[in-house]
Amino acid sequence: MIDATTIVIFGASGDLTRRKLIPALFKQWRKQRLPAPLRIVGFAFSDWDTATFRSEMDSGIKEFVEEDFRQASYDDFCDMLHFVQGGFTESDDYARLEAAISELENDTTNRLYYLATPPRFFLPIVEQMHAQGMVQESDVAWRRVIIEKPFGNDLASAQALNTSLHKLLDEQQIYRIDHYLAKETVQNIMVFRFANAIFEPLWNRNYIDHVQISAVESVDVGHRAGYYDQAGVLRDMFQNHLMQLLSLVAMEPPASFEANSVRDEKAKVLKAVRPISPEALASHTIRGQYAGYRDAPDVADGSETPTYAALELYIDNWRWRGVPFYLRSGKALQQKATEIIIQFRGTPHNMFPIPADYSIRRNVLALCIQPHEAIHLRFETKVPDTDIDMRSVEMNFEYDLAFGKDSTPEAYERLLLEALDGDPTLFTRADSIEQAWRIIDPIIQGWQTAFAPPLDEYVTGSWGPASSDLMLSQAGRHWRYACAEH
Ligand SMILES: NC(=O)c1ccc[n+]([C@@H]2O[C@H](COP(=O)([O-])OP(=O)(O)OC[C@H]3O[C@@H](n4cnc5c(N)ncnc54)[C@H](OP(=O)(O)O)[C@@H]3O)[C@@H](O)[C@H]2O)c1
C-alpha cells in the first residue's frame, strides 16, 4: 500500500474542525506520525478560500495547542491545508471537490473522509461521494469514512442508517466515532483486565457485589440547549459513552487484540444486557431535570427532557447474573467526573474483635476516567499502635505521577491516527451501536408512557435527585465518588 494520503474534512468551517481536528492533526504532524505526502482539504458552505481556511486554522492551533508544541514556524503544516467551498447536497459541488482533490494529488492516494457535520448530512454526503466514485477503493489505495456522533436517533434510525451506508461502503471502510473509546484511561481498561493476572479471577458475580459507572458533569446545557432539548441525557451520554464503558468492563476476554475479536466480545455483552421492561421502569430508572433548565434559551416551555438519569441494569450471562450495574449521568452537578467503581463483596466471616461501631469496609476498585486519571484500590489496614483498630487506605496509581504531566493525548489525536492506520478497534461497529440502542430505546419510549418514573427536579450543584440515592440505598448500597474526591 502507498503512503500518500488526502484527508477531506466535511464541515471544515465548524467548531469541531477548528477546536479538535486540526489541533489533533497538527500535534501528530509535530510528532511525525502522519503519512507523507499529506493534504488536508476542507469542504463547507462558508464563503472561504484556502487563504481564509489556513488563517482560521492557524488561529485554532494558537488557541488550542499548547505552546511547547508550536515552537517555531509551522508554515509547512499550513501549506498542506486547502479549502473547497460547496453545499453538502449539491452534486455539482462534489464534482468540483473531486476535481480540486485530484489536482492536488499527483499520484495514487489514500483518502480519509471526515464527516464533521450535522448528522442529517451523514448519508447524503456518502451518497454524493459514491455517485462521484469518491469512495471506490483500489488494490493499492483505500477510502475510509469517519462518521461523527450521534449515530441515529433511536434503534430504527440507526438501523436504517447502517443499512443505507452498507449499500455504499463496506463495514471496514466505516469508522464511527465515540471519542470516549480513545481516552487513554478507557483504553487502559482492557490492559488492566487482561494484561494482569490478579484482577480477572475476581471479575465476576462470585466476588463483585455491584458496578457503578458514572459520567457526571458540572456544566449545564449551555449553548447546546437546542440540540439537548431534543436529545436528553439518555441519547447524549448513555447510548454511546456509558454503553461503551459498560461493554469494556463486562466483556469476556477476546482471544486477540485484533479489532473484530474485541468488537465481537463488546457486542456480545451488550446483547446480554436485559432490557428494562415497562413495569420495571419505576424501580430501575431515575429521571431528573435540574432547576432552571426550562428557563434556558432554546428549551421548550414545560420541557420534560431529562438532564439526569440513573439506571439499574443486569447482564444475563454466567459471569454477571444477578450483579447490578448502576449507570448515571447528569448535567449541572457538583463536579465533573467519569469513573467506574467495582464494589467487591464483603469477607465471608469476621475473625477480628473490632469495636461495635465499626464494620469492615468492602474493597473498592475505582477506575478514574476523567478529569482525574487514576486507579485506586481501597483495602483495610491495621492502625499502628492499636490492638486491632482498622482503617481503609488506598493503593493509588496516578497517570501524571507515573507517566509525567500531560502524558495523555487528546482523544481525537489517537482516533485520527488509528483511522489512518486502518485499525477500527477504537471505533464502534454497526452491531454494537444497534445493541446499545436496543437497551436505551425502550427506556426513552417508556418514559413517554404512564410507566415512567416521576421527573425529579434537582438543585444545580447537587449530586442529582434524591430518588437516585434512594434507588441504591433500598438495596443497601450508595453512590461512590471515589475519583471526584481526589
Ligand atoms: N464541536 C464539538 O466539540 C463536537 C464534539 C463531539 C462531536 N461533535 C459532532 O461533530 C459534528 C460537527 O459539529 P460542529 O460542532 O463542528 O458543528 P458546526 O460548528 O455547526 O459545524 C457544522 C459544519 O457543517 C457545515 N455545513 C452545515 N450545513 C452545510 C451544508 N448544507 N453544506 C455545506 N456545509 C454545511 C458548516 O458550514 P458553514 O458554517 O460554513 O455553513 C460547518 O462547517 C456534529 O455531528 C457533532 O455532533 C462535535
Side-chain angles (χ1 to χ4, degrees), residues 190-227:
M190 258 198 285
V191 175
F192 182 81
R193 287 188 59 195
F194 305 134
N196 294 294
I198 61 173
F199 303 110
E200 202 50 30
L202 307 180
W203 212 265
N204 58 53
R205 64 192 300 277
N206 298 326
Y207 299 97
I208 293 177
D209 176 74
H210 73 276
V211 176
Q212 299 179 9
I213 304 179
S214 301
V216 295
E217 297 180 278
S218 50
V219 293
D220 60 20
V221 290
H223 68 278
R224 292 175 72 226
Y227 152 78

Side-chain angles (χ1 to χ4, degrees), residues 11-17 19-20 44-46 86-88 116-119 121-122 148-150 412:
S13 58
D15 177 65
L16 184 71
T17 305
R19 214 155 50 82
K20 299 281 187 192
F45 204 63
S46 284
F88 291 154
T117 72
F121 292 115
F122 294 162
E148 259 299 336
K149 61 157 200 175
Y412 282 94

Side-chain angles (χ1 to χ4, degrees), residues 127-167:
E127 284 172 340
Q128 293 280 359
M129 287 201 294
H130 186 266
Q132 293 289 336
M134 295 168 76
V135 290
Q136 181 67 46
E137 302 200 86
S138 73
D139 288 346
V140 288
W142 48 257
R143 300 284 181 263
R144 298 177 189 141
V145 182
I146 299 185
I147 298 182
E148 259 299 336
K149 61 157 200 175
F151 194 93
N153 192 42
D154 53 20
L155 178 60
S157 58
Q159 281 172 330
L161 183 53
N162 275 328
T163 305
S164 302
L165 287 174
H166 286 152
K167 288 181 184 148

